[in-house]
């Protein structure tokens, strides 16, 4: 869905049907009976014949038999919890029933909003529900996901990601536009969903007329019931005719077992696609190469295997494959999807008949002491294993091959997936909570309380970024930072660019690092050709400047091209991700709108001049002074300034390609893993760092050789430069003195 950066065709003359649904009937004429016409109460037009066809399919869903019980509970209670497995219909049908309820009371309390954790799911559900309700997407039914709004003021039912509803609370704390709020995918335990669960407790007390519906898998019901108290519960029973095969001992030889199973399934002649759940992206790449290589020797009479690597940023691939892949899948018989996702994004497929699950995943776990993620390989939870089982089509029996034993599933797998709040960087969440505190909703009863050490680190980082005042409350500067839907460090860099006259360039950098990776995953043998193409974009000053070059080249191509196909071809020829660049374009446009809305100064672009290059470095350092590393031996071994982790530049880094080893670098990403790569790095000078980093941040750094070098630099700087404050960023941002957090 990332390629569709706008609402689909929603003109009254033609309704939009999602490709995942059977639309063989086309956009049929509405039934024109001689006598009574049944009108759609949502748009006042006669129902189409397709509506009745889809209605029969809806009535076969397991959730349908609970409709009247649900409506009864909805009328008499403020909170209703629904427990049901995937594919029972709760995510598509319950919001429609809530829309009927709001219609019956003439929308006097507002419309319906339904949250989703994954943006692709939000879009897909909105398309499906608009089709089932026989209305236009973007009118009566719409969706809101990061950097894309397909709704109007007349939208009755909107699907949105949980983080977008959370951001809406900054401008409308009590969510007065909605009469019913549905929190879906609760079992995913995202930070935004957990925050909403806590904040909505206070909102419900302030708005007795508001209804809250909570959809969850059965595994979380007992915890939800104790969290919200004695509230009505609807349990949807849904049996999956799935044959589960446990292959104990296969984990040690997982790749050999996977290959053997894929080829056995293919040689059996049984129809259906295969989904393989792997632990990480590296496993996807390795499996892709092996399956493609070995698959070329299979019996051609059985058809060629179409291997689809599904990387985390590309979860919509199974919904909207490329035209070439779609064409091949019509010719050949089987698609093999390799993924490391949770499985939620694959629920919509009805063609999957075989699932192979390694039972392991690589998770990002944030370590507040070193301000970095660690990539930890560990068993998935029992709830995740159950969701992967539910991907199998319910119309006929499927097979689940577990590359682990039943004993492993019962003893080594935790019942529930860990809450993201207990494993992630909480700086953005704390900034939001500080903003909400202005509206009196700052105290939040979390289902799982975050680790105190993570909260302390988040408060400390916001203090360093001048987002807090001397009392620990959100400063005016912090309020402006919270307006940007970005990481607080990136927001700070954008605000600093207002002072340093490089807003245009900083917006481009922000958009490019926020969008998915603009470089394509390379098939075997294409590395040399891709590197030759990418060298044309390399900038000697660093990766942040290289990203500006890539974006400018993309923009120039888009402006000079006569069609989207020409742009896609240019991206393909240069081994660039066209979808990611389009997303970056949309992100940049929204960030520019925010700059204009809050009337921040915007200088004309001057990319390429020495002064502009220095100013970009200053803006980056203003936000990312906590992410500095020094080469300790002249061979590319970088030691972090804040801890003793050693890392290397990523092979795609412009310095690695040019075989240059700068002594000091500012980096955007770093994770503790097998490779310990620094990603998106640009050279900085220690003198510039000492001028822009807060003095008390430098004082709090642990003793090290790097700190001694910086101390010597500071001693040689003039008193005026060392006292220079980086807090004064623009005319609208007040100067703030040195602050320290007081955590009570």
């Amino acid at each position: 869905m990332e390629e569709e950066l706008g609402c689909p065709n929603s003109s009254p003359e033609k309704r939009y049907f999602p490709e995942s649904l059977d639309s063989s009937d086309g956009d049929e004429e509405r039934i024109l009976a001689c006598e009574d016409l049944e009108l759609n109460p949502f748009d006042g037009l006669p129902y189409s014949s397709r509506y009745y066809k889809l209605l029969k399919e809806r009535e076969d869903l397991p959730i349908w038999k609970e409709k009247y019980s649900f409506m009864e509970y909805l009328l008499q209670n403020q909170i209703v919890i629904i427990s049901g497995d995937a594919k029972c219909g709760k995510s598509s049908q319950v919001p429609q029933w809530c829309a009927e309820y709001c219609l019956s009371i003439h929308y006097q309390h507002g419309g319906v909003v339904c949250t989703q954790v994954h943006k692709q799911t939000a879009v897909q559900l909105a398309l499906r529900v608009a089709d089932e309700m026989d209305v236009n997407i973007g009118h009566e039914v719409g969706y809101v996901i990061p950097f894309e709004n397909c709704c109007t003021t007349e939208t009755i039912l909107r699907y949105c990601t949980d983080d977008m509803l959370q951001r809406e609370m900054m401008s409308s704390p009590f969510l007065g536009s909605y009469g019913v709020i549905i929190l879906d995918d609760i079992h995913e335990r995202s930070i935004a969903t957990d925050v909403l669960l806590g904040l909505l407790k206070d909102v419900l007390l302030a708005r007795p007329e508001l209804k809250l519906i909570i959809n969850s898998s059965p595994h979380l019901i007992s915890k939800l019931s104790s969290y919200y108290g004695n509230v009505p519960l609807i349990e949807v029973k849904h049996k999956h005719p799935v044959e589960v095969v446990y292959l104990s001992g296969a984990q040690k030889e997982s790749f050999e077992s996977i290959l053997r199973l894929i080829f056995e399934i293919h040689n059996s002649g049984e129809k259906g696609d295969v989904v393989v759940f792997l632990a990480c992206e590296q496993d996807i790449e390795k499996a892709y190469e092996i399956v493609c290589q070995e698959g070329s020797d299979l019996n051609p009479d059985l058809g060629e295997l179409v291997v689809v690597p599904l990387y985390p940023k590309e979860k919509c691939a199974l919904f909207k494959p490329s035209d070439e892949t779609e064409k091949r899948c019509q010719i050949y018989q089987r698609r093999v999807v390799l993924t490391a996702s949770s499985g939620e994004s694959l629920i919509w497929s009805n063609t999957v008949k075989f699932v192979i699950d390694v039972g392991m995943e690589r998770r990002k776990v944030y370590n507040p002491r070193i301000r970095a993620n660690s990539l930890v390989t560990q068993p998935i939870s029992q709830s995740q294993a159950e969701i992967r089982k539910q991907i199998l089509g319910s119309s006929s029996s499927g097979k689940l091959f577990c590359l682990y034993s039943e004993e492993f599933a019962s003893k080594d797998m935790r019942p529930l997936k860990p809450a993201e709040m207990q494993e992630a960087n909480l700086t953005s969440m704390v900034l939001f909570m500080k903003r909400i505190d202005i509206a009196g909703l700052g105290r939040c009863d979390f289902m799982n309380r975050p680790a105190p050490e993570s909260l302390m680190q988040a408060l400390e980082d916001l203090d360093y970024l001048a987002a807090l005042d001397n009392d620990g409350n959100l400063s005016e500067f912090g309020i402006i930072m919270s307006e940007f839907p970005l990481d607080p460090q990136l927001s700070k860099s954008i605000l600093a660019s207002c002072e340093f006259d490089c807003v245009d360039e900083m917006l481009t950098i922000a958009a490019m690092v926020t969008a998915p990776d603009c470089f394509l995953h390379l098939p075997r043998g294409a590395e040399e050709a891709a590197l030759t193409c990418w060298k044309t974009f390399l900038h000697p000053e660093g990766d942040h400047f290289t990203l500006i070059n890539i974006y400018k080249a993309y923009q120039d191509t888009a402006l000079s091209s006569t069609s989207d196909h020409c742009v896609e071809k240019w991206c393909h020829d240069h081994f660039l991700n066209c979808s990611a660049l389009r997303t970056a374009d949309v992100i940049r446009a929204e960030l520019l709108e925010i700059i204009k809305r809050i009337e921040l100064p915007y200088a004309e672009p001057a990319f390429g001049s020495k002064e502009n290059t220095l100013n970009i470095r200053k803006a980056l350092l203003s936000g990312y002074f906590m992410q500095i590393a020094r080469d300790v031996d002249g061979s590319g071994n970088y030691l972090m300034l804040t801890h003793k982790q050693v890392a290397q530049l990523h092979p795609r880094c412009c310095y690695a390609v040019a075989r240059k080893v700068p002594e000091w670098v500012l980096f955007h990403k770093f994770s503790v893993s097998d490779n310990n790569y620094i990603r998106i790095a640009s050279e900085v000078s220690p003198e510039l760092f000492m001028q822009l980093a807060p003095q008390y941040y430098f004082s709090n750094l642990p003793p090290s050789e790097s700190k001694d070098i910086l101390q010597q630099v500071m001693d040689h700087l003039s008193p005026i430069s060392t006292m220079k404050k980086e807090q004064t960023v623009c005319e609208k941002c007040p100067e703030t003195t040195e602050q320290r957090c007081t955590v009570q």
Side-chain angles (χ1 to χ4, degrees), residues 294-310:
E294 299 290 334
S296 60
D297 298 329
L298 292 173
N299 183 353
D301 294 337
L302 294 172
E304 181 186 355
L305 285 178
V306 180
V307 187
V308 183
L310 204 59

Side-chain angles (χ1 to χ4, degrees), residues 705-720:
E705 183 184 355
S706 297
K707 186 175 181 180
D708 293 341
I709 294 172
L710 291 172
Q711 183 65 53
Q712 293 173 15
V713 169
M714 186 174 70
D715 293 341
H716 285 86
L717 291 173
S718 65
I720 296 176

